[in-house]
Amino acid sequence: MKFLELAQFFERLEGTTSRLEMFQILYELFSQADKEELGKVVYLTMGELVPSFRGLEFGVSEKLVMEALSKASGLKLSSIQKLYKEFGDVGKVALEVLKREGKGLSVSQVYEELYSIARARGTLDKVMLLINLLKALSAIEAKFAVRIIVGNLRLGVGEATIIEALALLLGDRNYRQLVERAYNLCSDLGLVAETLVHKGLEGLAEFKIQPGYPIRMALAERVADAEELIRRLGRCAIEAKYDGFRLQVHKKDKEVYIYSRNSEPMTEMFPEIKQAIMEISARELIIEGEALAVNEETGEFYPFQITIQRKRKYGVYEYSKEYPLKLFCFDLLYLDGEDYTVKPFMDRRKRLEDLITFRNTLELSDLKIVQSTKEVEEFFEDAILRGLEGIMGKRLDAPYTAGSRNFNWVKLKRSYKGQLADTLDVVIVGYFYGRGARAKLGIGTLLTAVYEPSSDTFKTLSKVGSGFTEEEWVSLKKMLDEIKLDHKHARVDSLITPDVWVEPKYVITVSADEITRSPLHTAGKVGDEPGYALRFPRAVGFVRSDKKPEDATTVEEVLRMYQLQKRVKIE
Ligand code: ATP
């Protein structure tokens, strides 16, 4: 396929306001792509060259792209900068200033060029390669190429929609589950697409876990109290719920790879965990645990803020000396060629206990087998006294359900009077200019939404106007203006029209007093019935860099929280 054709598909995807149409365009694109190139087409559609867990970054700023555009077009840098100021998007600038026909490069050729730019070490090399590429592209091709380079493709195509389009490529949308299963086991849609075209249905059905490819994490449902926990799980395991970083740690011979909850590469951030895993005798291994800083002297857990300071890239080593982390291991997913995700929880746990024998950096999570409400309550009170946020309950005979949230695992959290027991993660889909004191900031309220996986869309749940400092509002406006849209995004379902629509990209955590029914919002709305909304929502913290829009709270979870709040007795 010519890269020009791909760019034309991107134009159509960018212009659509309907999710169904987005699906149809994607299907058309995947059907027309050459077999050999389908993986690359999938990555490029997601604005990537390789899955994000590989941690390959272009390292090319807008400023460098402008320099390259100036050289490739022969225009003065100042003119390019002026246009960038006007459009706020290097893609539009490229479209405006490049006038060549283009050399008709194929998708693979452009992919290789982009790959060389990402791999080049020095800035100078990157710019030279980019100038050459721009000279070979037509304006519309360049528009998308430079957007991919600066990490701002903005097609807004969701993974779920890609999965569905790939399933249809197999002949039936119902193969979605098969495609999804493979994706859950490797977090790499390009690899799934390649498997699908080269090995067909059978190859996909036989898709296996491989260390070095993150498994999409299993998630927990909420329960209201100890009684519901026992009612749902029966005799079960309960564990302390640690408030740290969830990590999935892979060992493959002499290599260790550590991934975040969102499958981001984190190996360099946790040198002490890497070292501890190296010492385990297994050749291949995948385990999960929660990492947090523990005060060596008192044995107390440090607050999450201390743990999260690791996120700063520099001084990791010093930090690991000052605040060493422990990984509280709670699951085993793979061991020396054997897939453990399919085994019952207790089998996995027993094998994990055999592996984690020395207790230092690696510890086992606290676990107790219980069968009565009273035992759960005692364990819960004890956990709260130790400063933990709650407990987890786990079904003894359940497999590890990659990429899904269900009642195999449940969480029971402390609740506060007059407040929802849990926070929600919502996606910003637009904002209002603001009145009064906020008018000068040009932003006063956010329109936020939750995720509905079945339709791969975002349904509005609440306006959020409090919880941020003035500086945070200013940064938010800047961030949102960069992803501003002139129409509602195809995957957003809203009855409210904000002053500015934005691409669903940023997730924030909000707390609220209550979930109420509301005719204004589309979350949980069926026919003429009202939807759901938040009462007195306020933001907690700033934008969650660790969550993708699809990791936001789901509509189903909101319904569940609505039912739970009715049952929780408020003392
Ligand atoms: P989720 O991860 O469920 O989307 P979240 O990120 O908001 O939601 P919580 O809802 O607070 O997190 O709880 C689930 C998380 O608790 C897990 O993802 C994991 O990071 C953490 N956790 C802590 N202790 C355990 C444990 N013993 N077993 C499993 N998970 C644990």
Side-chain angles (χ1 to χ4, degrees), residues 140-242:
I140 159 175
E141 291 171 293
K143 168 181 164 185
F144 292 106
V146 295
R147 279 190 185 166
I148 291 173
I149 290 173
V150 298
N152 203 5
L153 183 61
R154 297 171 57 177
L155 298 179
V157 177
E159 285 158 4
T161 311
I162 294 184
I163 288 174
E164 227 172 294
L166 287 175
L168 191 55
L169 209 57
L170 283 168
D172 191 334
R173 257 165 116 155
N174 291 327
Y175 288 131
R176 177 184 168 152
Q177 274 171 343
L178 207 60
V179 181
E180 212 165 48
R181 174 189 163 273
Y183 177 52
N184 285 337
L185 297 184
C186 70
S187 308
D188 183 344
L189 274 179
L191 176 65
V192 173
E194 280 165 14
T195 310
L196 182 147
V197 284
H198 292 299
K199 301 190 180 153
L201 265 179
E202 220 166 283
L204 211 57
E206 283 169 8
F207 197 90
K208 289 194 173 56
I209 292 174
Q210 301 171 60
Y213 287 81
I215 299 170
R216 297 189 70 232
M217 292 187 181
L219 303 172
E221 279 283 358
R222 296 171 177 77
V223 288
D225 49 28
E227 187 270 319
E228 187 188 358
L229 189 146
I230 289 294
R231 183 163 49 74
R232 287 199 181 263
L233 304 186
R235 183 166 173 272
C236 63
I238 49 175
E239 295 186 25
K241 182 176 188 313
Y242 305 95

Side-chain angles (χ1 to χ4, degrees), residues 23 77 183 266 510:
F23 164 73
L77 182 59
Y183 177 52
M266 295 253 143
V510 292

Side-chain angles (χ1 to χ4, degrees), residues 239-242 246 261 290 394 405 411 413:
E239 295 186 25
K241 182 176 188 313
Y242 305 95
R246 177 155 177 193
R261 153 91 160 71
E290 191 85 1
K394 297 181 181 179
R405 188 186 297 281
K411 52 193 178 193
K413 290 195 187 176

